[in-house]
Amino acid sequence: MEEFWSHGYGGTSPAQLAAATGVAKGSLYNAFTSKRELFNRCLDLYHQQIAEVAQQLLDHPGSTRECLRNALKSVVDSDLAQPQRRGCLIGNTAVELAGEDAEVAQKLRRMQEESTGWFAARIQGGQRDGDVSRDRDPRALAEHLANTLAGLRVMAMTHEAPALYRIIDTALSVL
């Protein structure tokens, strides 16, 4: 997963995968029928890890705005702390492959829909608790935040925390 995340699908060679896993190329292809199958499993693992982190971040007590701000800030801080700023594997894959590979595009869309659902659920909870206006469409707000997060992950490759935090605060002003 780390190799694909650092170099992209096309930029990751079988030799790199063998070296990263410590498994000979032949054995690697015996375990996984293709580079593509291994890549799909890596995407699934990445999404599973994101889901676990999102659950922890979005289940924090406090107002919806505070919780979402802390969650977005946590992702930004994590991206900025990496020795190589690589953004999001799902977003990077969308840019690299989704325009030319319908199967990958469909898989990524399902993942993105699920993550948008996490935001929507938190916003709906905020509406029930009275800290998010009930006249706002939770799905539209969630899509706005998912889009903001995708942009933050890209911008974290070239920008520093103050600019990214301003974007977070501006995005949350719609709540």
Side-chain angles (χ1 to χ4, degrees), residues 43 46 87-97 108 112 150 154:
L43 278 175
Y46 181 84
C88 172
L89 178 59
I90 293 169
N92 297 348
T93 301
V95 170
E96 180 184 3
L97 299 176
L108 297 175
Q112 292 163 334
V154 171

Side-chain angles (χ1 to χ4, degrees), residues 33-70:
T33 58
S34 66
K35 175 181 167 182
R36 177 62 175 270
E37 181 190 344
L38 177 57
F39 182 67
N40 281 335
R41 289 193 187 187
C42 290
L43 278 175
D44 291 340
L45 175 63
Y46 181 84
H47 185 65
Q48 177 187 345
Q49 290 173 349
I50 286 175
E52 291 168 5
V53 170
Q55 177 108 30
Q56 293 171 358
L57 292 172
L58 295 175
D59 282 348
H60 276 273
S63 75
T64 299
R65 182 186 304 257
E66 290 167 347
C67 177
L68 291 171
R69 184 179 195 284
N70 290 337

Side-chain angles (χ1 to χ4, degrees), residues 133-147:
S133 174
R134 292 179 190 264
D135 68 346
R136 305 302 305 238
D137 177 352
R139 182 71 185 173
L141 291 172
E143 290 166 342
H144 167 67
L145 293 176
N147 187 62

